[in-house]
């Protein structure tokens, strides 16, 4: 029996060697291999602005009205400043109505605004890190993206997105876009969109949602 077993082992070893499997691979094959991947961050794109009016601002996001009447949403890199009257101004400190000219900035994302609405909604859920689901007065339930560093008003005080709780009521100016774009694709929008004064924070429409 022992002789037969030895012969069998020898035969198996010979077979492994013949098909080119190193002995060291036997132990490695039994080990689990883990691959770690990281989510790519937004791509910063340099943008030259000849002339544009600031329409809405929330956190690091700004909506600009171009000379042709089109509206452009820019999600700026944190800490980005824009030169206004020769002085650097942080994005979140810009005021609607400000005219900016001959400015070079870095934008993480950009998109063309296709619709502007104003809403009052009840918070159903806050989805970390930057989304909220609201129920509107007509019963519609939608999901919205909250710009980085944006704040809300509640009970006469400013609160962060992380402080939102189910049941709170918020007012917001909502923009629907052609889709956030980290590259150069642009969508042509004919005519000028109505731009009511900003009320509440700026939110970006994502799509319908459910209450659950």
């Amino acid at each position: 029996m022992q002789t037969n077993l030895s012969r069998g082992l020898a035969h198996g070893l010979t077979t492994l060697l013949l098909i080119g499997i190193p002995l060291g691979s036997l132990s490695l094959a039994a080990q689990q291999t883990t691959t770690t991947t990281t989510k790519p961050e937004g791509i910063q794109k340099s943008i030259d602005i000849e002339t544009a009016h600031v329409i809405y601002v929330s956190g690091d996001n700004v909506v600009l009205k171009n000379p042709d009447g089109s509206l452009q949403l820019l999600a700026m890199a944190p800490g980005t400043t824009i030169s206004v009257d020769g002085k650097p101004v942080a994005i979140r400190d810009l005021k609607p109505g400000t005219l900016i000219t001959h400015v070079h900035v870095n934008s993480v994302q950009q998109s063309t605004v296709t619709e502007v609405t104003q809403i009052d909604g009840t918070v159903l859920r806050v989805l970390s890190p930057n989304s909220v689901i609201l129920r509107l007065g007509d019963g519609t339930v939608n999901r919205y993206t909250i710009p980085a560093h944006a704040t809300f008003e509640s009970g006469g005080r400013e609160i962060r997105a992380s402080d939102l709780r189910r049941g709170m009521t918020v007012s917001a100016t909502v923009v629907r876009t052609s889709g956030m774009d980290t590259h150069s694709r642009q969508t042509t929008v004919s005519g000028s969109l109505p731009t009511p004064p900003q009320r509440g924070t700026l939110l970006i429409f994502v799509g319908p949602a459910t209450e659950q």
Side-chain angles (χ1 to χ4, degrees):
M1 292 292 293
Q2 186 175 2
T3 301
N4 292 336
L5 179 59
S6 299
R7 290 176 178 174
L9 290 174
H11 177 72
L13 178 60
T14 302
T15 302
L16 289 173
L17 292 174
L18 286 174
I19 62 176
I21 301 179
L23 290 176
S25 298
L26 295 178
S27 59
L28 291 176
Q31 297 176 1
Q32 182 177 358
T33 301
T34 302
T35 302
T36 302
T37 58
T38 57
K39 183 179 179 180
E41 297 181 356
I43 302 171
Q44 290 193 18
K45 179 187 176 182
S46 295
I47 297 175
D48 290 308
I49 301 171
E50 291 300 319
T51 303
H53 277 93
V54 175
I55 303 298
Y56 306 122
V57 181
S58 272
D60 294 326
N61 283 22
V62 59
V63 173
L64 300 176
K65 187 170 187 178
N66 299 314
D68 63 0
S70 63
L71 300 181
Q72 187 177 25
L73 171 67
L74 300 180
M76 298 297 197
T80 298
T81 60
I82 285 183
S83 178
V84 178
D85 295 330
K87 299 178 181 178
V89 177
I91 296 300
R92 67 192 69 177
D93 294 330
L94 287 173
K95 304 298 181 184
T98 300
L99 174 67
I100 58 177
T101 60
H102 306 292
V103 175
H104 180 83
V105 296
N106 287 327
S107 176
V108 176
Q109 293 176 314
Q110 65 174 322
S111 60
T112 299
V113 176
T114 59
E115 183 181 3
V116 179
T117 56
Q118 293 183 333
I119 65 166
D120 292 301
T122 301
V123 177
L124 296 180
R125 294 201 309 280
V126 179
L127 307 175
S128 180
N130 64 344
S131 293
V132 63
I133 294 179
L134 301 177
R135 182 176 61 239
L136 308 186
D138 61 1
T140 301
V141 177
N142 291 328
R143 178 174 176 175
Y144 304 91
T145 297
I146 305 168
H149 303 111
T151 58
F152 294 80
E153 277 195 13
S154 177
R157 63 189 181 92
E158 277 195 352
I159 63 172
R160 299 177 181 178
S162 58
D163 296 322
L164 291 174
R165 296 292 181 266
R166 183 181 178 89
M168 285 184 173
T169 300
V170 298
S171 297
T173 299
V174 176
V175 294
R176 188 189 294 254
T177 73
S178 59
M180 300 304 285
D181 184 12
T182 55
H183 302 289
S184 59
R185 177 177 55 83
Q186 292 293 315
T187 299
T188 301
V189 179
S190 58
S192 297
L193 294 174
T195 54
Q198 182 170 345
R199 183 164 64 91
T201 193
L202 176 71
L203 296 177
I204 298 94
F205 176 81
V206 175
T210 61
E211 294 198 25
Q212 288 74 25

